[in-house]
Amino acid sequence: QVQLVESGGGLVQPGGSLRLSCAASGNILSVFAMGWYRQAPGKQRDLVAGITSNGSTNYADSVKGRFTISRDNAKKTVYLQMNNLKPEDTAVYYCHADLVRNYVRTRGDYWGQGTQVTVSS
């Protein structure tokens, strides 16, 4: 069994900061790319930021210069530091991991349960 558990969401004023964390646990052999997606009401789920196992990153244009993704491979954890938050950043943020399960040696996409981020004054 594999789980991705997110934490760190909440309510913040415009211009504020939040840090999201997502830890992968269970029978995991290897973790490849990890990332954060978000979904606002009535909209599709979009990539916010991604990071490969060797640390290469990519960002949505709307968050470049404000958000930073990082990871701790030993802890199988990915982070998203969000600065200068704007109301349009309000969404449910989902953690994603591309990983290989131990024993069965199957590779697949796994998702967290989502954490709400609300930016409002």
Side-chain angles (χ1 to χ4, degrees), residues 1-5 23-31 76 97-102 104 106 108-112:
Q1 190 116 8
V2 172
Q3 281 190 312
L4 299 183
V5 179
S25 63
N27 291 320
I28 298 170
L29 179 63
S30 300
V31 183
K76 299 184 181 68
D98 171 15
L99 57 84
V100 176
R101 291 175 58 191
N102 207 351
V104 295
T106 55
D109 294 309
Y110 291 82
W111 295 89

Side-chain angles (χ1 to χ4, degrees), residues 27-106:
N27 291 320
I28 298 170
L29 179 63
S30 300
V31 183
F32 297 102
M34 302 185 80
W36 291 94
Y37 289 70
R38 68 186 180 187
Q39 186 168 20
K43 296 189 177 182
Q44 66 181 20
R45 187 177 300 186
D46 291 324
L47 176 69
V48 176
I51 185 167
T52 65
S53 56
N54 64 5
S56 296
T57 61
N58 65 293
Y59 297 92
D61 288 342
S62 59
V63 306
K64 283 180 182 177
R66 301 188 297 123
F67 290 12
T68 302
I69 190 170
S70 60
R71 65 189 283 172
D72 184 329
N73 289 332
K75 295 181 179 180
K76 299 184 181 68
T77 299
V78 63
Y79 306 95
L80 186 68
Q81 177 66 45
M82 305 185 292
N83 298 329
N84 190 22
L85 282 159
K86 305 176 180 181
E88 52 264 41
D89 295 317
T90 296
V92 178
Y93 283 69
Y94 295 92
C95 172
H96 166 266
D98 171 15
L99 57 84
V100 176
R101 291 175 58 191
N102 207 351
Y103 305 115
V104 295
R105 303 292 178 100
T106 55

